[in-house]
Amino acid sequence: MQGYSRSNWLSNLDTEEIQSLQINASLPSSLTIFPPPITIGDVMDLLAGLNPQQQQALTAGPGPVLVLAGPGSGKTRVLTHRIAYLVSQLGVRPYNILAVTFTNKAAREMEARVEGLIGEVRGLMLGTFHSTCARILRREAQHLPFESNFVIFDSDDQVTLVRQICKELNLDDKTYRPHSIHNRISGAKNELILPEDFPILTYRDEIIQRVYQRYQALLLNSNALDFDDLLLYTANLLDANIEVRQTYARRFEQILVDEFQDTNMAQYRLLMHLASFHKNIFVVGDVDQSIYRWRGADYRNVLRFENDYPDSVVILLEQNYRSTQNILDAAMAVIEPNPNRTHKNLFTEQRGTGNKIVLTECFDGREEGKFIVEKIALSVAQEGREPGEFAVMYRTNAQSRLIEEAFIMNNLPYKLVGAQRFYGRREIKDVVAYLRLVHNPLDEVSLLRVINTPRRKIGGKTLADLHRRATQTGQAQTDILLDLAQHDAESAHTHAFTPAAGRSLTAFGALLAGWLDAAQDLSPMELMDLILEDIQYQDYLDDGTDEGVDRWENVLELRRVAAEYEQRDLGEFLEQLALVSDQDTIDETENVPTLLTLHAAKGLEFPVVFIAGLEDGTLPHQRSFDEPESMAEERRLFYVGITRAKDQLYLVHAENRMTYGYSEPTEPSRFLDDIPAELIDGLGHVRAGRPSRSVRQQYSWDAAASSSAAIIQPQYKAGMNVRHPSWGEGMVLNTHIDGGDEIVDIFFQDIGLKKVVAALAHLEIMDG
């Protein structure tokens, strides 16, 4: 495993498809580029290592097939072997197969496994729902209200656009929060509801409809789509255009779907259209693992599938290859009370009974964090486990704070999933916005982001004048900028800009014109280099601080990503960046414990799992108490967390939690009552005090920290203004010496109160 070793961690229809068709059309049947018909021996090779249920799924005949796959039951193995079986045994051309899943990571893994079985498979359309839809929309753009070079707005861009509209409509952003409005718009799109059909029951609904209408108009003005549009436009296109629907329905002779329980209505409708001709649709899912209702996922699609295809074959995958039987028994006990599910008897033949589940009660959240960290440290030191084998899971992101503090207090490294993603960092979004603007000059969101970054004396008034002029003339703002660059002062006077504003806008227009010309002959990386040099972005970032250096390193990392697209165009590069998910950015080589929410844990597995915060009101969340469907999803969420554990599971809850600044007693999660007592090894009440200095030195995970001299006098004092490289500016509230470390309480402007170890935090003292 790369990254920290155990010891030092303790011490610290694209071109390929066209070629595929041309080659096969020109070759005799005996000279196909695909594997020859499989022999009996080859069939046995594909079946080898599969249990009877998996073999039944692999060799299922034509028509609809529903595979209900329990956690850790080898569903990816079944899907990949099924694709290999279709190609090599049944003679299905890869070009006629569509396989869809939910993350790029899962798609890459499936592709690699298929190639490992039968070699390179050219023409196979395998990817996420969103990437598949993007490819279809680009090919069929002539039927749609946007151009084929559309850009995809990420989550931040979408909310920024809603915020802009709320400002236009003079809406109070406290009453009409942009995030909340965007969630309603996203929910409508997932249900295939267009702005004109948005249901209005209240005055608030009427406001949201107006925002939705304007939102869609501005997207089209920018030749842009959001994530939901990729599904919405594709589903509606196939619904409305019989010719297009027939083209794709005839092409995809076999359709395979992963994580079917996570599909929404738009995705379900899309799949039904694509499978309308051959009706060979093979879906794999598990109602018990449906945990994304809040983003439109509807487990009832599994029930709809059975109703829409009454002749479908239903196969249960119940044999588990991940967890011990004790963990599986606990999971089944937790999920059994849920309605609308098919009972599955999860069992393992390889993993054995295993250790009992450890149930621990701590006094409060701070002791909970200390207990978890100490348990991990001792397991690494005494049991020989690697740091990366541990995961700490919780219901909400806010719960990570005290757990993070426990790691920091003990100088122990960790990684946090769901923190600011690489592609969400300011400098990365700046560079990507420049590239998006060159790719699609109509993208006004990207234009507004970069036109004064770095500063070019283009202020709010100048931008307002530019927007007003574009509205008056019916031109895009970039057209005006390019016109300024071509005609200079004369054009500035024509557009009624002041001399100073005209000069600034003309200068930027000239840069943009140069990039547009150069983009025709440059790879994404070469274009990025040109832009970075022209705007002197390194000088802009390198402000003499460690933060500036780190930001430039991030830009260089993006450049390395761009280098992988040397033989592909800018549009492909930008599309891949837009569709990256949190799980796609997890660094699996970093050998440190992982902190993540239960939602983010889906699809992952770890030898040792801690689930923290198991109290009523947290898990299940208090919002679920009055809604049976929400309570059922909370139970599924706990089930998913339990089944991530391979060897050992710790369930932790606290007697008291801080609520609105006050410590209040809590009740253990009602879900814990469902776990049979014989599966549990209870530690009872734990006073997880901080390890002594000698223990921390013995099991230190940071070599530098263990060898440094103790701090004798505080370096910081209350009222001092400081800057953290990741958390920005803040004010010191308190500081004290503990075990040779200076511990500083800081209130940060953006994220609130944090407790840091001064020797590790890289704080910069600010003037004043």
Side-chain angles (χ1 to χ4, degrees):
M1 199 169 190
Q2 298 178 7
Y4 287 93
S5 68
R6 176 175 167 268
S7 59
N8 71 19
W9 188 81
L10 284 169
S11 70
N12 177 44
L13 192 57
D14 50 26
T15 302
E16 288 184 355
E17 291 170 343
I18 294 171
Q19 291 173 344
S20 172
L21 290 174
Q22 291 173 336
I23 292 173
N24 278 283
S26 64
L27 292 176
S29 59
S30 60
L31 295 176
T32 175
I33 64 167
F34 303 124
I38 200 165
T39 65
I40 296 298
D42 293 329
V43 173
M44 297 306 295
D45 288 341
L46 282 177
L47 293 175
L50 300 183
N51 63 49
Q53 293 168 313
Q54 291 174 329
Q55 292 180 9
Q56 181 187 0
L58 171 69
T59 59
V65 179
L66 171 61
V67 179
L68 299 177
S73 60
K75 66 179 180 61
T76 302
R77 183 179 179 86
V78 167
L79 282 165
T80 53
H81 278 62
R82 174 75 174 178
I83 295 172
Y85 177 81
L86 292 172
V87 173
S88 55
Q89 170 64 8
L90 301 186
V92 180
R93 294 186 307 172
Y95 178 76
N96 296 121
I97 298 175
L98 168 66
V100 289
T101 185
F102 275 84
T103 67
N104 292 315
K105 176 185 174 185
R108 287 193 299 267
E109 180 181 354
M110 287 177 63
E111 184 175 25
R113 289 200 194 186
V114 171
E115 291 182 350
L117 290 169
I118 57 175
E120 183 180 2
V121 185
R122 297 173 61 184
L124 171 68
M125 186 177 280
L126 192 163
T128 65
F129 273 98
H130 292 92
S131 63
T132 300
C133 288
R135 293 171 71 178
I136 292 174
L137 293 177
R138 293 193 194 281
R139 292 173 184 168
E140 307 299 336
Q142 69 270 23
H143 304 296
L144 297 162
F146 45 79
E147 302 297 323
S148 62
N149 66 331
F150 63 82
V151 295
I152 303 170
F153 278 10
D154 65 19
S155 301
D156 291 340
D157 297 326
Q158 295 165 34
V159 175
T160 296
L161 196 57
V162 172
R163 184 175 290 111
Q164 174 187 326
I165 296 166
C166 289
K167 189 174 180 180
E168 286 181 9
L169 299 177
N170 294 318
L171 298 177
D172 180 3
D173 60 4
K174 293 182 179 179
T175 304
Y176 299 97
R177 297 185 180 278
H179 278 280
S180 177
I181 292 177
H182 179 263
N183 286 339
R184 289 287 304 277
I185 293 173
S186 177
K189 291 184 178 184
N190 288 333
E191 295 294 323
L192 299 174
I193 298 173
L194 299 173
E196 56 269 23
D197 301 320
F198 189 85
I200 299 177
L201 301 176
T202 66
Y203 177 69
R204 184 180 184 84
D205 293 337
E206 184 179 336
I207 294 296
I208 292 173
Q209 183 193 42
R210 289 169 57 193
V211 175
Y212 186 6
Q213 289 174 327
R214 180 64 174 154
Y215 177 77
Q216 288 302 100
L218 290 181
L219 282 173
L220 292 179
N221 287 346
S222 294
N223 195 36
L225 305 182
D226 64 16
F227 298 143
D228 301 311
D229 282 333
L230 296 172
L231 305 175
L232 174 69
Y233 278 112
T234 308
N236 284 344
L237 172 66
L238 297 179
D239 186 59
N241 192 310
I242 297 176
E243 183 179 349
V244 173
R245 179 170 71 243
Q246 286 292 316
T247 296
Y248 289 97
R250 287 176 179 272
R251 170 184 168 179
F252 294 128
E253 182 180 335
Q254 297 284 343
I255 298 174
L256 301 95
V257 186
D258 190 15
E259 304 287 8
F260 186 64
Q261 78 283 344
D262 290 335
T263 55
N264 58 35
M265 180 52 69
Q267 289 161 329
Y268 185 83
R269 183 82 64 83
L270 171 70
L271 290 169
M272 295 306 100
H273 284 319
L274 293 175
S276 60
F277 186 80
H278 296 287
K279 293 184 169 51
N280 294 325
I281 180 168
F282 184 97
V283 302
V284 181
D286 182 10
V287 167
D288 295 337
Q289 297 185 72
S290 179
I291 59 174
Y292 299 120
R293 179 168 169 257
W294 49 275
R295 70 183 189 197
D298 189 350
Y299 73 87
R300 292 174 299 180
N301 284 344
V302 176
L303 308 179
R304 291 188 181 100
F305 185 89
E306 294 185 86
N307 290 331
D308 290 342
Y309 297 109
D311 59 339
S312 62
V313 175
V314 180
I315 301 169
L316 298 183
L317 298 186
E318 299 171 298
Q319 184 171 348
N320 182 282
Y321 296 89
R322 175 190 299 154
S323 306
T324 63
Q325 193 62 52
N326 277 339
I327 292 173
L328 296 177
D329 288 345
M332 287 189 288
V334 165
I335 201 63
E336 192 63 34
N338 265 4
N340 301 319
R341 58 179 298 271
T342 300
H343 173 77
K344 291 185 290 297
N345 182 35
L346 304 181
F347 68 95
T348 182
E349 294 182 349
Q350 290 81 9
R351 301 305 320 283
T353 302
N355 297 329
K356 288 188 175 183
I357 295 160
V358 178
L359 176 62
T360 304
E361 180 182 77
C362 298
F363 178 72
D364 59 14
R366 197 170 299 278
E367 286 191 355
E368 177 184 60
K370 291 177 181 178
F371 164 74
I372 291 171
V373 171
E374 181 178 282
K375 201 71 181 176
I376 294 175
L378 292 176
S379 294
V380 171
Q382 298 176 355
E383 300 173 14
R385 287 196 176 276
E386 294 288 345
E389 295 181 14
F390 297 86
V392 184
M393 302 176 186
Y394 34 81
R395 174 64 177 81
T396 65
N397 279 306
Q399 290 173 257
S400 73
R401 182 178 66 85
L402 292 176
I403 300 171
E404 287 185 78
E405 286 186 9
F407 277 93
I408 294 171
M409 291 284 285
N410 289 282
N411 297 331
L412 304 179
Y414 62 93
K415 59 183 175 186
L416 183 65
V417 177
Q420 187 180 32
R421 296 186 298 123
F422 174 78
Y423 294 105
R425 298 183 186 278
R426 171 170 61 85
E427 61 276 12
I428 300 302
K429 290 182 71 66
D430 285 348
V431 177
V432 171
Y434 272 107
L435 294 171
R436 282 192 355 189
L437 183 62
V438 175
H439 178 63
N440 173 26
L442 296 178
D443 183 354
E444 293 191 356
V445 170
S446 292
L447 174 65
L448 290 176
R449 182 177 188 93
V450 303
I451 194 170
N452 201 38
T453 303
R455 294 191 180 280
R456 301 184 177 90
K457 298 181 180 179
I458 302 176
K461 183 179 183 306
T462 300
L463 290 174
D465 290 342
L466 177 62
H467 182 267
R468 174 179 47 77
R469 183 60 180 167
T471 303
Q472 290 173 347
T473 62
Q475 295 177 281
Q477 294 184 47
T478 45
D479 288 339
I480 295 176
L481 293 171
L482 295 173
D483 185 51
L484 288 171
Q486 184 175 0
H487 299 101
D488 205 7
E490 178 184 346
S491 183
H493 177 73
T494 302
H495 289 294
F497 294 119
T498 65
R503 286 192 296 272
S504 298
L505 294 174
T506 298
F508 183 76
L511 287 173
L512 180 58
W515 300 329
L516 289 170
D517 289 339
Q520 308 302 317
D521 304 313
L522 299 180
S523 69
M525 186 189 73
E526 292 169 334
L527 177 61
M528 184 187 303
D529 287 345
L530 175 62
I531 293 172
L532 292 174
E533 181 178 355
D534 283 349
I535 66 175
Q536 299 181 325
Y537 197 64
Q538 182 176 7
D539 293 339
Y540 168 67
L541 291 180
D542 191 359
D543 55 3
T545 67
D546 290 341
E547 180 183 2
V549 173
D550 289 343
R551 290 189 181 280
W552 179 245
E553 283 294 326
N554 289 334
V555 173
L556 294 181
E557 179 61 27
L558 179 65
R559 185 180 183 275
R560 285 188 280 272
V561 176
E564 299 174 9
Y565 288 77
E566 183 177 1
Q567 302 302 321
R568 289 181 280 179
D569 64 27
L570 180 59
E572 290 182 85
F573 174 59
L574 293 173
E575 182 174 304
Q576 287 302 308
L577 297 190
L579 298 179
V580 167
S581 69
D582 278 341
Q583 284 201 1
D584 295 326
T585 63
I586 296 175
D587 184 356
E588 297 180 348
T589 66
E590 193 175 5
N591 192 9
V592 295
T594 302
L595 277 57
L596 71 170
T597 66
L598 288 163
H599 282 104
K602 179 74 178 300
L604 304 177
E605 59 182 36
F606 302 88
V608 183
V609 168
F610 293 81
I611 302 180
L614 286 170
E615 302 104 31
D616 266 6
T618 303
L619 184 67
H621 198 279
Q622 60 185 2
R623 291 195 300 265
S624 68
F625 288 171
D626 298 325
E627 188 181 355
E629 187 52 56
S630 293
M631 182 62 72
E633 178 150 302
E634 293 292 299
R635 189 178 288 276
R636 294 194 292 268
L637 193 59
F638 188 29
Y639 173 82
V640 165
I642 291 173
T643 54
R644 300 309 95 192
K646 299 168 69 174
D647 305 328
Q648 183 68 66
L649 175 66
Y650 291 87
L651 305 177
V652 191
H653 66 96
E655 278 189 300
N656 305 278
R657 288 283 175 190
M658 292 293 292
T659 305
Y660 302 112
Y662 299 95
S663 180
E664 295 184 352
T666 66
E667 290 293 327
S669 171
R670 64 192 66 189
F671 297 155
L672 295 174
D673 295 336
D674 297 315
I675 302 177
E678 61 268 22
L679 301 178
I680 294 176
D681 179 10
L683 291 183
H685 185 87
V686 173
R687 284 282 180 180
R690 188 182 185 198
S692 67
R693 180 66 176 173
S694 61
V695 169
R696 288 194 295 124
Q697 286 178 338
Q698 182 180 356
Y699 304 124
S700 172
W701 305 352
D702 187 332
S706 65
S707 62
S708 62
I711 299 174
I712 306 301
Q713 296 296 327
Q715 295 180 344
Y716 303 90
K717 61 182 180 179
M720 185 177 287
N721 295 316
V722 297
R723 185 196 306 274
H724 186 276
S726 299
W727 300 331
E729 297 180 4
M731 176 180 289
V732 174
L733 301 181
N734 186 40
T735 181
H736 64 280
I737 303 299
D738 186 352
D741 294 325
E742 181 179 6
I743 311 302
V744 189
D745 295 321
I746 306 172
F747 185 84
F748 290 97
Q749 296 176 4
D750 295 331
I751 62 171
L753 183 64
K754 286 283 186 180
K755 187 184 295 290
V756 304
V757 179
L760 302 177
H762 304 294
L763 296 174
E764 173 193 355
I765 298 175
M766 302 172 62
D767 294 336

